[in-house]
Amino acid sequence: MHIPFRPIARLLTRTLHPSPEFHLSAALPLLQKMQGETDWQGVLVTCNHYSASDFRIWWMVITVSAIFPVDINWLVTSGWTNSGWLTGFTHWLFPRGARLLGFTAMPAMPPDPHQAEQRAQAVRQVLRYANRDPHPVIGISPEGGDQPGGVLGELPAGVGRFMLLISHKCPVILPVGVWKEAGAIQIAFGSPFQLEVPPGLPSGELDTYVGTTVMQHIATLLPERLRGKYG
């Protein structure tokens, strides 16, 4: 059983006050093509992991999905950590909710060694989806967790290589920046791009190169105070 998420997202987005402000001009040609044509390539949507006192990360998933013309397979956490009795409950609930909504649940960052197999299963699930769907759209917040003050943070090891794997089936990368300004949530869609990776990079350097490239594209959409090292 699969519950269409976009109608729910559009409904929930209308409950936000003040309404989010969307900045779409850079991505509008891609979004229009995805809505009306069939010859577009897979898309990897990359967002900063932003949250504020009255805007949690799930609102990013909701608001971006509300404006998107097709379904997004979001990578979401499979459970909270260090949340007392709620921790076990979320690890039961979140994967089931993810399956219902067409998302992929993955253990939270930074990785816990005992969750290595769960993480590997989630990676395989995402790649199966990307190989199966003729127009895969995958959404990810590469940082994998909230950052102090909403400033862009370091990526966990392996995230860059993971995004590179996804990009083989989702070669179009769409950066999205989310932040709060003057009391209203701002959601800026950047210009789509494709990864161009120098040949022969060792694994660690490849991971850093891809991760930094993706985060720099997100950073250009954010106020300077939130760009961190990627400014």
Short mmCIF file of all heavy atoms in Angstrom, two decimals, residues 154-202:
data_model
loop_
_atom_site.label_atom_id
_atom_site.label_comp_id
_atom_site.label_asym_id
_atom_site.label_seq_id
_atom_site.Cartn_x
_atom_site.Cartn_y
_atom_site.Cartn_z
N GLU A 154 29.68 19.83 8.38
CA GLU A 154 30.50 18.81 7.71
C GLU A 154 29.63 17.61 7.35
O GLU A 154 28.71 17.24 8.08
CB GLU A 154 31.63 18.35 8.63
CG GLU A 154 32.64 19.43 8.96
CD GLU A 154 33.73 19.55 7.92
OE1 GLU A 154 33.72 18.75 6.96
OE2 GLU A 154 34.58 20.44 8.07
N LEU A 155 29.96 16.96 6.25
CA LEU A 155 29.23 15.76 5.85
C LEU A 155 29.87 14.53 6.48
O LEU A 155 31.09 14.41 6.55
CB LEU A 155 29.25 15.61 4.33
CG LEU A 155 28.63 16.72 3.49
CD1 LEU A 155 28.45 16.25 2.05
CD2 LEU A 155 27.30 17.17 4.06
N PRO A 156 29.05 13.58 6.91
CA PRO A 156 29.61 12.31 7.39
C PRO A 156 30.37 11.61 6.26
O PRO A 156 30.04 11.76 5.08
CB PRO A 156 28.36 11.51 7.80
CG PRO A 156 27.30 12.55 8.03
CD PRO A 156 27.59 13.64 7.06
N ALA A 157 31.36 10.85 6.61
CA ALA A 157 32.15 10.12 5.62
C ALA A 157 31.26 9.20 4.81
O ALA A 157 30.37 8.53 5.35
CB ALA A 157 33.25 9.32 6.31
N GLY A 158 31.47 9.16 3.51
CA GLY A 158 30.74 8.26 2.63
C GLY A 158 29.55 8.88 1.93
O GLY A 158 29.06 8.33 0.94
N VAL A 159 29.08 10.04 2.40
CA VAL A 159 27.89 10.64 1.79
C VAL A 159 28.19 11.12 0.37
O VAL A 159 27.36 10.98 -0.53
CB VAL A 159 27.37 11.80 2.67
CG1 VAL A 159 26.25 12.54 1.95
CG2 VAL A 159 26.88 11.29 4.00
N GLY A 160 29.37 11.65 0.15
CA GLY A 160 29.73 12.09 -1.20
C GLY A 160 29.73 10.93 -2.19
O GLY A 160 29.16 11.03 -3.28
N ARG A 161 30.34 9.81 -1.81
CA ARG A 161 30.36 8.63 -2.69
C ARG A 161 28.94 8.10 -2.91
O ARG A 161 28.61 7.63 -4.01
CB ARG A 161 31.26 7.55 -2.11
CG ARG A 161 32.73 7.93 -2.04
CD ARG A 161 33.63 6.71 -1.82
NE ARG A 161 33.24 5.96 -0.64
CZ ARG A 161 33.69 6.24 0.59
NH1 ARG A 161 34.51 7.25 0.79
NH2 ARG A 161 33.32 5.50 1.62
N PHE A 162 28.12 8.16 -1.87
CA PHE A 162 26.74 7.71 -2.00
C PHE A 162 25.98 8.56 -3.01
O PHE A 162 25.27 8.04 -3.88
CB PHE A 162 26.06 7.75 -0.63
CG PHE A 162 24.62 7.34 -0.62
CD1 PHE A 162 24.19 6.22 -1.32
CD2 PHE A 162 23.68 8.06 0.10
CE1 PHE A 162 22.85 5.83 -1.31
CE2 PHE A 162 22.35 7.68 0.13
CZ PHE A 162 21.93 6.56 -0.58
N MET A 163 26.14 9.88 -2.95
CA MET A 163 25.47 10.75 -3.91
C MET A 163 25.99 10.52 -5.32
O MET A 163 25.23 10.61 -6.29
CB MET A 163 25.63 12.21 -3.49
CG MET A 163 24.85 12.57 -2.23
SD MET A 163 24.78 14.35 -1.87
CE MET A 163 26.49 14.67 -1.44
N LEU A 164 27.27 10.21 -5.44
CA LEU A 164 27.83 9.90 -6.75
C LEU A 164 27.19 8.65 -7.33
O LEU A 164 26.85 8.59 -8.52
CB LEU A 164 29.35 9.74 -6.66
CG LEU A 164 30.08 9.45 -7.98
CD1 LEU A 164 29.89 10.58 -8.97
CD2 LEU A 164 31.56 9.21 -7.72
N LEU A 165 26.99 7.63 -6.49
CA LEU A 165 26.30 6.41 -6.94
C LEU A 165 24.89 6.73 -7.43
O LEU A 165 24.48 6.26 -8.50
CB LEU A 165 26.22 5.41 -5.79
CG LEU A 165 27.39 4.46 -5.55
CD1 LEU A 165 27.12 3.61 -4.33
CD2 LEU A 165 27.63 3.57 -6.78
N ILE A 166 24.16 7.52 -6.65
CA ILE A 166 22.80 7.88 -7.05
C ILE A 166 22.81 8.66 -8.36
O ILE A 166 21.93 8.48 -9.21
CB ILE A 166 22.12 8.71 -5.94
CG1 ILE A 166 21.95 7.87 -4.67
CG2 ILE A 166 20.76 9.22 -6.40
CD1 ILE A 166 21.42 8.66 -3.48
N SER A 167 23.82 9.50 -8.54
CA SER A 167 23.85 10.37 -9.72
C SER A 167 24.01 9.60 -11.02
O SER A 167 23.76 10.15 -12.10
CB SER A 167 24.98 11.40 -9.59
OG SER A 167 26.25 10.81 -9.79
N HIS A 168 24.40 8.33 -10.95
CA HIS A 168 24.49 7.53 -12.18
C HIS A 168 23.11 7.33 -12.79
O HIS A 168 22.98 7.20 -14.02
CB HIS A 168 25.14 6.18 -11.89
CG HIS A 168 26.57 6.30 -11.45
ND1 HIS A 168 27.21 5.34 -10.69
CD2 HIS A 168 27.49 7.28 -11.64
CE1 HIS A 168 28.45 5.71 -10.45
NE2 HIS A 168 28.63 6.89 -11.01
N LYS A 169 22.09 7.30 -11.96
CA LYS A 169 20.70 7.18 -12.44
C LYS A 169 19.93 8.50 -12.30
O LYS A 169 18.89 8.66 -12.92
CB LYS A 169 19.97 6.07 -11.68
CG LYS A 169 20.47 4.67 -12.00
CD LYS A 169 20.21 4.33 -13.47
CE LYS A 169 20.69 2.93 -13.80
NZ LYS A 169 20.41 2.57 -15.23
N CYS A 170 20.44 9.38 -11.47
CA CYS A 170 19.84 10.71 -11.28
C CYS A 170 20.92 11.75 -11.56
O CYS A 170 21.42 12.42 -10.64
CB CYS A 170 19.32 10.86 -9.85
SG CYS A 170 18.03 9.71 -9.38
N PRO A 171 21.29 11.91 -12.84
CA PRO A 171 22.42 12.78 -13.15
C PRO A 171 22.16 14.26 -12.96
O PRO A 171 23.10 15.05 -12.85
CB PRO A 171 22.70 12.46 -14.63
CG PRO A 171 21.39 11.98 -15.17
CD PRO A 171 20.73 11.25 -14.04
N VAL A 172 20.89 14.66 -12.93
CA VAL A 172 20.55 16.07 -12.72
C VAL A 172 20.42 16.32 -11.22
O VAL A 172 19.60 15.70 -10.55
CB VAL A 172 19.23 16.43 -13.44
CG1 VAL A 172 18.87 17.90 -13.17
CG2 VAL A 172 19.35 16.17 -14.93
N ILE A 173 21.25 17.20 -10.70
CA ILE A 173 21.23 17.51 -9.27
C ILE A 173 20.60 18.89 -9.09
O ILE A 173 21.03 19.87 -9.70
CB ILE A 173 22.64 17.46 -8.68
CG1 ILE A 173 23.23 16.05 -8.88
CG2 ILE A 173 22.62 17.82 -7.19
CD1 ILE A 173 24.64 15.89 -8.37
N LEU A 174 19.58 18.93 -8.24
CA LEU A 174 18.85 20.17 -8.00
C LEU A 174 19.08 20.62 -6.56
O LEU A 174 18.57 20.02 -5.62
CB LEU A 174 17.35 19.96 -8.25
CG LEU A 174 16.45 21.18 -8.03
CD1 LEU A 174 16.81 22.30 -8.99
CD2 LEU A 174 14.98 20.80 -8.19
N PRO A 175 19.87 21.69 -6.37
CA PRO A 175 20.10 22.18 -5.00
C PRO A 175 18.91 23.00 -4.51
O PRO A 175 18.28 23.74 -5.27
CB PRO A 175 21.35 23.05 -5.16
CG PRO A 175 21.29 23.54 -6.57
CD PRO A 175 20.62 22.46 -7.38
N VAL A 176 18.62 22.85 -3.23
CA VAL A 176 17.55 23.60 -2.58
C VAL A 176 18.07 24.15 -1.26
O VAL A 176 18.68 23.41 -0.48
CB VAL A 176 16.30 22.73 -2.33
CG1 VAL A 176 15.20 23.54 -1.63
CG2 VAL A 176 15.77 22.14 -3.63
N GLY A 177 17.85 25.44 -1.03
CA GLY A 177 18.23 26.06 0.23
C GLY A 177 17.00 26.46 1.03
O GLY A 177 16.06 27.03 0.47
N VAL A 178 17.01 26.12 2.31
CA VAL A 178 15.88 26.42 3.19
C VAL A 178 16.40 27.20 4.40
O VAL A 178 17.39 26.80 5.01
CB VAL A 178 15.17 25.12 3.66
CG1 VAL A 178 13.98 25.46 4.55
CG2 VAL A 178 14.74 24.28 2.48
N TRP A 179 15.74 28.31 4.74
CA TRP A 179 16.12 29.08 5.92
C TRP A 179 14.96 29.99 6.32
O TRP A 179 13.97 30.09 5.60
CB TRP A 179 17.37 29.89 5.66
CG TRP A 179 17.18 31.12 4.80
CD1 TRP A 179 17.07 32.42 5.21
CD2 TRP A 179 17.10 31.17 3.36
NE1 TRP A 179 16.91 33.27 4.14
CE2 TRP A 179 16.93 32.52 2.98
CE3 TRP A 179 17.15 30.19 2.35
CZ2 TRP A 179 16.80 32.92 1.65
CZ3 TRP A 179 17.02 30.59 1.03
CH2 TRP A 179 16.85 31.93 0.69
N LYS A 180 15.10 30.62 7.47
CA LYS A 180 14.06 31.51 7.98
C LYS A 180 14.56 32.94 7.93
O LYS A 180 15.67 33.24 8.36
CB LYS A 180 13.68 31.12 9.40
CG LYS A 180 12.39 31.76 9.89
CD LYS A 180 11.95 31.17 11.22
CE LYS A 180 10.61 31.74 11.66
NZ LYS A 180 10.18 31.16 12.96
N GLU A 181 13.73 33.82 7.43
CA GLU A 181 14.10 35.22 7.27
C GLU A 181 12.88 36.07 7.58
O GLU A 181 11.81 35.88 6.99
CB GLU A 181 14.57 35.50 5.83
CG GLU A 181 15.25 36.83 5.64
CD GLU A 181 16.69 36.82 6.12
OE1 GLU A 181 17.45 35.93 5.71
OE2 GLU A 181 17.04 37.70 6.93
N ALA A 182 13.03 37.02 8.51
CA ALA A 182 11.95 37.95 8.86
C ALA A 182 10.66 37.20 9.20
O ALA A 182 9.56 37.60 8.82
CB ALA A 182 11.71 38.93 7.72
N GLY A 183 10.82 36.07 9.90
CA GLY A 183 9.66 35.33 10.36
C GLY A 183 9.06 34.36 9.38
O GLY A 183 8.16 33.59 9.73
N ALA A 184 9.52 34.37 8.13
CA ALA A 184 8.95 33.49 7.10
C ALA A 184 10.00 32.51 6.61
O ALA A 184 11.19 32.85 6.49
CB ALA A 184 8.41 34.30 5.93
N ILE A 185 9.58 31.29 6.32
CA ILE A 185 10.47 30.29 5.75
C ILE A 185 10.71 30.60 4.27
O ILE A 185 9.77 30.84 3.51
CB ILE A 185 9.88 28.88 5.91
CG1 ILE A 185 9.88 28.49 7.40
CG2 ILE A 185 10.66 27.85 5.11
CD1 ILE A 185 11.25 28.43 8.04
N GLN A 186 11.97 30.60 3.88
CA GLN A 186 12.38 30.82 2.51
C GLN A 186 12.85 29.50 1.92
O GLN A 186 13.63 28.78 2.54
CB GLN A 186 13.53 31.84 2.43
CG GLN A 186 13.29 33.11 3.24
CD GLN A 186 12.21 33.97 2.65
OE1 GLN A 186 12.10 34.13 1.42
NE2 GLN A 186 11.38 34.56 3.51
N ILE A 187 12.36 29.19 0.71
CA ILE A 187 12.77 27.95 0.04
C ILE A 187 13.21 28.33 -1.36
O ILE A 187 12.41 28.71 -2.21
CB ILE A 187 11.62 26.93 0.00
CG1 ILE A 187 11.17 26.62 1.44
CG2 ILE A 187 12.05 25.64 -0.70
CD1 ILE A 187 9.98 25.73 1.54
N ALA A 188 14.53 28.23 -1.60
CA ALA A 188 15.11 28.66 -2.87
C ALA A 188 15.59 27.44 -3.65
O ALA A 188 16.40 26.65 -3.16
CB ALA A 188 16.27 29.62 -2.62
N PHE A 189 15.10 27.30 -4.86
CA PHE A 189 15.55 26.25 -5.78
C PHE A 189 16.66 26.83 -6.65
O PHE A 189 16.48 27.88 -7.27
CB PHE A 189 14.39 25.79 -6.66
CG PHE A 189 13.38 24.92 -5.97
CD1 PHE A 189 12.62 25.40 -4.92
CD2 PHE A 189 13.18 23.61 -6.36
CE1 PHE A 189 11.69 24.60 -4.27
CE2 PHE A 189 12.25 22.80 -5.73
CZ PHE A 189 11.50 23.30 -4.68
N GLY A 190 17.80 26.14 -6.71
CA GLY A 190 18.91 26.62 -7.51
C GLY A 190 18.90 26.07 -8.93
O GLY A 190 17.98 25.36 -9.33
N SER A 191 19.95 26.40 -9.66
CA SER A 191 20.08 25.91 -11.02
C SER A 191 20.52 24.45 -11.01
O SER A 191 21.46 24.09 -10.29
CB SER A 191 21.11 26.74 -11.79
OG SER A 191 20.70 28.09 -11.86
N PRO A 192 19.87 23.60 -11.78
CA PRO A 192 20.30 22.19 -11.85
C PRO A 192 21.72 22.09 -12.43
O PRO A 192 22.13 22.91 -13.25
CB PRO A 192 19.27 21.57 -12.81
CG PRO A 192 18.12 22.53 -12.84
CD PRO A 192 18.71 23.88 -12.62
N PHE A 193 22.45 21.09 -11.98
CA PHE A 193 23.80 20.87 -12.50
C PHE A 193 24.09 19.37 -12.53
O PHE A 193 23.32 18.57 -12.00
CB PHE A 193 24.84 21.60 -11.65
CG PHE A 193 25.02 21.03 -10.26
CD1 PHE A 193 26.05 20.14 -9.97
CD2 PHE A 193 24.15 21.38 -9.23
CE1 PHE A 193 26.21 19.61 -8.69
CE2 PHE A 193 24.31 20.86 -7.94
CZ PHE A 193 25.33 19.99 -7.68
N GLN A 194 25.20 19.01 -13.18
CA GLN A 194 25.64 17.62 -13.19
C GLN A 194 27.07 17.55 -12.66
O GLN A 194 27.86 18.47 -12.84
CB GLN A 194 25.55 17.04 -14.60
CG GLN A 194 24.13 17.00 -15.14
CD GLN A 194 23.97 16.11 -16.36
OE1 GLN A 194 24.80 15.24 -16.63
NE2 GLN A 194 22.90 16.33 -17.10
N LEU A 195 27.37 16.46 -11.97
CA LEU A 195 28.70 16.28 -11.41
C LEU A 195 29.72 16.03 -12.51
O LEU A 195 29.49 15.25 -13.44
CB LEU A 195 28.71 15.10 -10.44
CG LEU A 195 28.00 15.31 -9.11
CD1 LEU A 195 27.90 13.98 -8.36
CD2 LEU A 195 28.73 16.34 -8.25
N GLU A 196 30.84 16.69 -12.39
CA GLU A 196 32.00 16.43 -13.26
C GLU A 196 33.17 16.12 -12.34
O GLU A 196 33.75 17.02 -11.74
CB GLU A 196 32.28 17.65 -14.14
CG GLU A 196 31.14 17.96 -15.12
CD GLU A 196 31.44 19.15 -16.00
OE1 GLU A 196 32.58 19.69 -15.91
OE2 GLU A 196 30.57 19.54 -16.79
N VAL A 197 33.49 14.85 -12.23
CA VAL A 197 34.48 14.40 -11.25
C VAL A 197 35.82 14.16 -11.94
O VAL A 197 35.88 13.44 -12.94
CB VAL A 197 33.99 13.11 -10.56
CG1 VAL A 197 35.02 12.62 -9.56
CG2 VAL A 197 32.65 13.35 -9.89
N PRO A 198 36.90 14.75 -11.43
CA PRO A 198 38.22 14.49 -12.01
C PRO A 198 38.55 13.00 -11.93
O PRO A 198 38.25 12.35 -10.93
CB PRO A 198 39.17 15.31 -11.12
CG PRO A 198 38.30 16.35 -10.48
CD PRO A 198 36.96 15.71 -10.31
N PRO A 199 39.14 12.44 -12.97
CA PRO A 199 39.47 11.01 -12.96
C PRO A 199 40.61 10.70 -11.99
O PRO A 199 41.47 11.54 -11.72
CB PRO A 199 39.89 10.73 -14.41
CG PRO A 199 40.36 12.06 -14.94
CD PRO A 199 39.54 13.09 -14.24
N GLY A 200 40.58 9.48 -11.47
CA GLY A 200 41.71 8.98 -10.69
C GLY A 200 41.77 9.42 -9.25
O GLY A 200 42.79 9.20 -8.59
N LEU A 201 40.71 10.04 -8.72
CA LEU A 201 40.75 10.47 -7.32
C LEU A 201 40.68 9.26 -6.39
O LEU A 201 39.86 8.36 -6.60
CB LEU A 201 39.58 11.40 -7.01
CG LEU A 201 39.62 12.82 -7.56
CD1 LEU A 201 38.37 13.58 -7.14
CD2 LEU A 201 40.86 13.56 -7.09
N PRO A 202 41.52 9.19 -5.35
CA PRO A 202 41.37 8.14 -4.34
C PRO A 202 40.00 8.25 -3.67
O PRO A 202 39.36 9.30 -3.70
CB PRO A 202 42.50 8.44 -3.35
CG PRO A 202 43.46 9.31 -4.09
CD PRO A 202 42.65 10.08 -5.08
#
